[in-house]
Amino acid sequence: MKKLAFICTLAVSFLTLTSARTSLDKRVAAFEKDFNSLGEELSCIGAGASVVIDGNIVFTGTRGVNDLALRQEVTSGQYFRVGDIARTIPAIAVLQLVDKGQADLGADISGYLGFELRNPASPQKPLTLRMLLSSTAGLDPDAQLTTISMLDARKNPGYAEYFLPGVKAGAKYKSATAGYVIAAAIVEKITGMRFDE
């Protein structure tokens, strides 16, 4: 959870960096300060970050170690496994749309999807972007979601298999990649663009 908080906070700091009206040097210095202070505050073992604006690398920073036993410092050429870090990308895209007033974290996602989607354990409670991004929609962590239509009860009566049995929407944190797949699909529907573009 600390790792996700570190990543999300840096993502917000990055968005501030790209949208602030102050000089680039001041924005980069502010990002570097956030990067270092958050790493300390969250007891981050090791991290690396780069910021690219208009194709130019404006910041590269590392902190900590990449192996606790060997105490090897993280270097700028260090590779990290992507894992959950990839979830940051749809989260940033959603937050950019929220910032532009094109999406609402608390709105029923059914309106974005074009079909009603409910957690079978709490069918009266709308699912929201906030639930998707905070992994509290009750989605099954092992769900292999390849298309959003798999969640449309009209096309797939067995859609409930993508949810954890008995886990109500908003009631419990359970990390599920499917929530970010849905969020990316919502970004596509709002923008009219493929997510990879």
Side-chain angles (χ1 to χ4, degrees):
M1 198 62 177
K2 284 184 177 181
K3 178 173 68 171
L4 187 58
F6 180 66
I7 291 165
C8 290
T9 306
L10 281 179
V12 171
S13 179
F14 169 76
L15 289 174
T16 303
L17 173 67
T18 60
S19 63
R21 294 176 187 234
T22 56
S23 76
L24 181 60
D25 290 341
K26 286 183 181 177
R27 291 181 281 161
V28 170
F31 181 83
E32 183 173 13
K33 182 180 175 190
D34 286 348
F35 175 73
N36 289 318
S37 64
L38 279 169
E40 284 183 33
E41 181 182 327
L42 297 172
S43 302
C44 180
I45 294 168
S50 292
V51 176
V52 179
I53 298 178
D54 296 328
N56 299 308
I57 298 173
V58 297
F59 171 81
T60 299
T62 61
R63 59 169 282 100
V65 297
N66 63 19
D67 186 313
L68 281 174
L70 298 176
R71 304 299 295 172
Q72 294 174 329
E73 287 188 21
V74 175
T75 65
S76 61
Q78 182 74 47
Y79 288 101
F80 289 90
R81 289 186 53 161
V82 174
D84 291 347
I85 295 170
R87 296 176 182 188
T88 306
I89 297 166
I92 289 171
V94 166
L95 293 175
Q96 286 175 328
L97 292 174
V98 169
D99 195 42
K100 292 177 182 175
Q102 294 177 300
D104 180 349
L105 289 174
D108 183 344
I109 63 171
S110 299
Y112 299 119
L113 295 173
F115 61 88
E116 184 175 86
L117 178 59
R118 294 288 188 264
N119 177 326
S122 51
Q124 302 305 316
K125 187 170 190 168
L127 296 176
T128 66
L129 281 167
R130 183 175 284 109
M131 289 177 191
L132 295 179
L133 298 181
S134 64
S135 295
T136 58
L139 290 159
D140 186 336
D142 297 322
Q144 298 298 312
L145 191 63
T146 55
T147 66
I148 297 304
S149 63
M150 297 166 85
L151 295 169
D152 188 343
R154 300 168 303 179
K155 296 178 182 176
N156 179 17
Y159 86 97
E161 70 183 87
Y162 296 101
F163 290 87
L164 291 167
V167 177
K168 295 182 178 183
K172 181 179 179 182
Y173 169 82
K174 194 69 173 174
S175 181
T177 300
Y180 291 85
V181 172
I182 299 166
I186 290 170
V187 169
E188 288 183 334
K189 291 191 177 278
I190 291 172
T191 63
M193 296 173 58
R194 283 176 33 149
F195 193 78
D196 61 341
E197 293 175 358

